[in-house]
Structure formats: structure tokens, C-alpha cells
Amino acid sequence: MRKLLNTLFITTPDIYISLKGENVVITKDDTQLGRIPLHNLEAICTFGYAGASPSLMHACATQNISLTFLSRSGRFLARVIGESRGNVVLRKIQYRISDNEIESAKIARNFIFAKVANQKWILERMTRDYPMRIDVPMIKKTSSSLSGILKDILQTEDLEQLRGFEGQAANSYFKCFDQMILQQRESFFFKTRNRRPPTDNVNALLSLAYTLLSSDVAAALEAVGLDAYVGFLHRDRPGRASLALDVMEELRGVVADRFVLKVINKKILTANDFVQKENGAVLLTDEGRKKFIKAWQERKQESLTHPFLKEKINWGLVPHTQSMLLARFLRGDLEEYPPFLWK
């Protein structure tokens, strides 16, 4: 398994990135701000960019370094990546299964089961760690409801039913999300999930975390030879990385949601790190985005023991391990795809 290399995040607006020799050169208004060796990078992610030189895009494509463009609010715009070098047989298997809804549902079932199981674990852990600060009966009731949904998920081979169970679970889980916000409650509160645009601080953080996670998963899938745009639960839609959305379902709670709660409860971000636009959209300031991404990258370097592989890895490698396991399952090396069940 290859190591997770560094990602270069460009968060300052109006930055132009170019290539000089074997270095990425970062400039603003003709002033050079930095220079980083290209061979040290796995990916470049820029927010509110002024532009990127054709020579840099060519170098990234030939060296398989993803170049991702996001708006200043963290919305995905485009991603430049080189020629896919994946196994053509593997992709043919992926496409055949994707065209068969029953076979797709058998794989999608594992994604959704892990997502709901991880949500249940997050709630149960809150009752263990903070019993005096949360509504334990409410969370226990929700946890019990999620247990029932898990049983239903295991018994279905229908994609529409799976989506229905996932929606029920998400609705129950997010009703408890506000309970898990323990600090700064005057500025950070959660009533319901909203996006495009997010209209409160918590949803702004969730949207950015999901965007970053989706980008990480898409890159990991491409790295093992899978097509990130052909999914099993999420069906084909132009421009949508459907398989990346599939795989990230099981990681949303344990990676993105827990991270958002951490930056709030540990006061890594405060109300001063947000700005509200005239249309009601709530966005992170440039400084707030820098702090968020810095904490995100630090989190990716923290270690864990993978629940299936029983090997010690960094959190940043989790999308890569799951992509590898999915590829092994599709090749027939594993009897079933082992989802990420974290405890």
C-alpha cells in the first residue's frame, strides 16, 4: 500500500500557481510567495484561485498528481487528473455490476450498513463520555431505532429501499446532532441539514468536510484502478463522482462529523471565523478556512488500527484502504466487501 503523500492547499485568494523546473511556484500580484518541490506532492487543492499554468497542469497529469479547484466557500468546481492506469478488467466488472441493480444493492447495502452502524456508535459513545451533558434517554431511543434499521438494511436487496432506510437513519441521527455540540452553543447550533448554500456555522463546516472527504475518496479510487464516477448506490449522473459518494457514506460520521464536532468543541474555530452573505449563506473566512484545513491535515496524520486489516495506519489512508478492499472484492479476492466499522 502506498503512503499518503502531502496535499498542497492554496487558501489565499487570487493566487496563481505555475511550474518552474520541478517546483510549484505560488505567486500573487507578481510576488512570489512560496516554492514547493512537485515530487513531494500527491495533490494540489486551491480555493478561489486566480489560475494555474498549462505547464503545471501537464506536469500534474503526467505525474498523477490531482489538481482540484474549489470555490472560496469550498464548493467543488473541477478536478484535473492524468490518464487512468487502472486495470481494464476491474473496470469492466465495476460497470457490469453497476448496470445490475440487484448486484449493486448487495454492495451498497454494506456501505449503508456501516454508515448507520457508525452513526449509532457515535451516539453511544456520547452517552458513555458525557452522560451529564446530554439527553441520554433521547439518544438511547435513537440508538435503538438505528438498531432496527440496521436489521432492515441487512435483509434488503433493493436500492430504493436502501435509500429509504438511509434517509430514516440520517433523519434520526441528525435530530441528535445538536446534543453533541458541547461548547460555543450561542454560535454553533444544529437544527437541520442544509446546503447550497449552508445557512449556519455548523452546516458550513459539514459541507466543507464532506467536500474534502469526497475529494480524498475519489483520488483513492482512481489510484486502485476504479472509476470514481460509476457507483452502485448513487447512480450515474454527469459530473458526479458517484462511487466516491458511495464509499464515503461509511466514513461521513467517523471522519467528517466527528472532525466538525472536534473543531467546535475544542474551540479550534469560533464565531469570528465565519461571515454571512446577503443571500443568507454562511461561509468560513479565509483565516477560518486555513485553521480548518490545518486541523483536517493534522487529523489525517493521527493513527488508528484498521478494524478489518488489523494494521496500524493513519486516518488519511482510510480512503485508500477501503478503495483497495473494494477492488479486491470486485476481483474476487474477497467474498464480501468489508466496510469500515469503527469503534
Side-chain angles (χ1 to χ4, degrees):
M1 185 187 342
R2 69 182 181 85
K3 294 289 184 180
L4 183 68
L5 302 178
N6 291 332
T7 298
L8 172 63
F9 285 95
I10 307 294
T11 60
T12 305
D14 304 321
I15 289 292
Y16 186 78
I17 49 178
S18 59
L19 185 70
K20 188 170 184 179
E22 292 298 318
N23 298 301
V24 179
V25 178
I26 305 160
T27 58
K28 182 177 182 180
D29 300 328
D30 298 324
T31 300
Q32 183 174 314
L33 302 181
R35 179 189 294 248
I36 298 175
L38 189 64
H39 69 265
N40 287 343
L41 299 175
E42 181 189 50
I44 301 172
C45 189
T46 118
F47 292 79
Y49 70 101
S53 71
S55 60
L56 176 62
M57 288 191 282
H58 179 268
C60 288
T62 56
Q63 297 184 39
N64 203 30
I65 298 171
S66 67
L67 177 57
T68 304
F69 299 101
L70 298 99
S71 69
R72 292 182 63 182
S73 64
R75 182 173 60 85
F76 178 83
L77 298 175
R79 181 169 173 265
V80 178
I81 191 67
E83 177 185 0
S84 294
R85 298 178 175 86
N87 187 323
V88 65
V89 175
L90 175 63
R91 291 203 175 198
K92 281 187 174 181
I93 295 171
Q94 177 188 357
Y95 298 151
R96 283 199 296 267
I97 294 176
S98 179
D99 286 337
N100 186 317
E101 291 201 2
I102 295 177
E103 293 303 313
S104 291
K106 292 177 181 178
I107 301 175
R109 181 173 59 194
N110 286 15
F111 298 142
I112 299 305
F113 180 87
K115 177 182 183 178
V116 177
N118 287 334
Q119 289 173 337
K120 175 180 168 64
W121 171 80
I122 291 170
L123 295 177
E124 288 290 348
R125 182 162 182 169
M126 288 298 297
T127 64
R128 184 194 70 188
D129 294 345
Y130 305 101
M132 304 301 294
R133 304 180 65 180
I134 61 174
D135 187 344
V136 173
M138 173 190 176
I139 290 184
K140 285 291 187 181
K141 182 178 180 180
T142 300
S143 177
S144 177
S145 173
L146 294 182
S147 294
I149 294 174
L150 286 171
K151 294 179 182 178
D152 292 333
I153 290 171
L154 288 176
Q155 295 172 1
T156 187
E157 293 184 356
D158 182 271
L159 285 175
E160 282 304 314
Q161 286 186 355
L162 273 177
R163 295 186 186 104
F165 294 143
E166 187 275 334
Q168 294 175 32
N171 184 56
S172 298
Y173 167 74
F174 277 120
K175 283 181 179 179
C176 296
F177 201 81
D178 191 63
Q179 290 276 326
M180 296 186 280
I181 300 172
L182 307 177
Q183 301 288 340
Q184 308 186 87
R185 291 192 57 82
E186 67 282 355
S187 303
F188 293 90
F189 47 83
F190 185 88
K191 294 181 179 178
T192 186
R193 180 78 178 106
N194 58 69
R195 52 182 179 168
R196 300 194 185 109
T199 56
D200 58 69
N201 296 348
V202 177
N203 274 290
L205 295 179
L206 287 172
S207 291
L208 180 53
Y210 293 155
T211 297
L212 295 175
L213 179 58
S214 175
S215 178
D216 288 347
V217 173
L221 290 166
E222 293 286 346
V224 299
L226 289 165
D227 188 336
Y229 287 82
V230 178
F232 304 118
L233 176 68
H234 295 83
R235 309 310 286 172
D236 295 348
R237 181 185 298 176
R240 182 171 76 175
S242 296
L243 187 59
L245 295 177
D246 283 357
V247 175
M248 73 175 282
E249 289 292 357
E250 62 197 76
L251 304 179
R252 283 180 186 266
V254 291
V255 175
D257 295 355
R258 290 184 67 221
F259 175 76
V260 167
L261 291 169
K262 175 183 176 179
V263 299
I264 296 172
N265 291 334
K266 290 188 175 294
K267 300 183 180 179
I268 296 172
L269 293 174
T270 68
N272 295 330
D273 293 309
F274 297 83
V275 61
Q276 186 169 23
K277 299 296 186 179
E278 292 181 359
N279 65 351
V282 174
L283 307 176
L284 276 165
T285 63
D286 293 336
E287 185 60 31
R289 196 160 49 243
K290 289 179 184 178
K291 291 192 286 186
F292 185 94
I293 291 172
K294 179 176 182 291
W296 177 266
Q297 289 298 88
E298 290 173 350
R299 171 59 173 164
K300 286 168 67 173
Q301 297 305 314
E302 294 177 10
S303 62
L304 72 149
T305 299
H306 191 279
F308 178 78
L309 298 176
K310 307 302 180 184
E311 294 182 12
K312 194 170 184 179
I313 62 171
N314 294 336
W315 274 100
L317 277 175
V318 171
H320 291 273
T321 60
Q322 294 311 117
S323 298
M324 177 190 69
L325 292 170
L326 179 59
R328 287 183 178 180
F329 163 70
L330 293 176
R331 289 192 182 101
D333 297 333
L334 294 172
E335 291 185 3
E336 190 171 8
Y337 167 69
F340 187 82
L341 295 166
W342 179 240
K343 285 190 177 181

